[in-house]
Amino acid sequence: MNKIGFIGLGNMGGPMASNLVASGLSVTGYDLNEEANLLAKDNGIQISSNIESLIEDIDVLITMLPASEHVEKVYLGENLLDKLDKSILIIDCSTIAPEISVKVASAAKEKGLEMIDAPVSGGVAGAHAGTLTFITGGSPKSIELATPVLKKMGNQVLHAGNNGSGQIAKICNNMLLAVHMCGTAEAIALGVKNGLDPSVISKIMQSSSGNNWSLEKYNPFPGIMPNAPSSNEYKGGFLNKLMLKDLGLAAQISKNSDAETPMGDKARELYEELSELGLGELDFSSIQKKYNN
Ligand code: NAD
């Protein structure tokens, strides 16, 4: 498991592939975006000019792509599965619809290939630091095989169940993340509009029952956490458009399963508003902008 092919070298995939190189593995990468390829090359990743040459001599194929349609296109669009050696383990780290994970994994199985879904939690900072959590779906045997490679990019590998289950768990988590980020931004703004200093109200809530991950690690109010995207004009991080995509996936699985998600639906409405304002490329903590006006 020493030779890795890595497709999708963006905000997450780039640093993840770099960590594989730093841990001594040989990594060949491919991205449609030339800038992403150049940056990856500077970090020791060998760049292939196409997917066919990338898969020539690898043990593991990792994909980190934006959404379902990209994953479907890469694996099923040009019969990639027919071209892969049967010994190659496939790990898709993208956050996509569970039914697409199941569809691609079933197609892989028909060709005698093992595939797992392994979406991640921990954001761009976690991807750089190598501290991601992988939320996996697939057979216990393939998760076990993937774990040593995943541990070079993160510190936790959690197993949710069969193929697609990693996606379901990730989608539930991100719906909750959106809900507490919106609530956190709203509560800080309420305190500020009533005369409190934003760092004071943040600290008080952090030491009280309102504490949550957004307050602890990712304060949405500018100037409180120097390394958070909020203190860097909401640049980088986890983009509003990707959060909106994940909330769309949550709405879809809630509809499919007849589960009520009123808080998730409200959060989706709020992220839709940001998108309509043209703020899709900002970090998702920029929901604070809605309340700071
Ligand atoms: P990104 O847009 O920065 O990177 C995706 C990369 O895939 C781009 O560089 C794009 O050019 C490339 N790509 C698209 N189609 C391709 C193809 N056919 N062949 C080769 N390359 C292709 O996105 P990201 O932030 O790295 O996110 C990737 C995935 O990780 C998404 O599913 C996202 O929801 C998930 N995720 C992101 C974060 C985050 O904080 N950014 C956190 C957790 C999970």
Side-chain angles (χ1 to χ4, degrees), residues 14 45 64 71 101 156 158 165 175-176 178 195 197 219 222 226 247 263 265 273 289-290:
I45 296 151
M64 190 49 159
V71 173
S101 287
Q156 283 201 91
L158 308 175
S165 308
M175 184 184 80
L176 178 58
D197 182 292
N219 194 300
L247 290 168
M263 304 292 282
D265 296 345
E273 275 180 42
K289 280 176 171 284
K290 182 176 160 55

Side-chain angles (χ1 to χ4, degrees), residues 146-175:
T147 296
V149 175
L150 298 179
K151 282 275 179 89
K152 299 200 182 324
M153 301 180 281
N155 46 20
Q156 283 201 91
V157 179
L158 308 175
H159 189 193
N162 296 333
N163 287 106
S165 308
Q167 300 295 354
I168 294 175
K170 164 72 186 170
I171 291 165
C172 294
N173 180 71
N174 272 24
M175 184 184 80

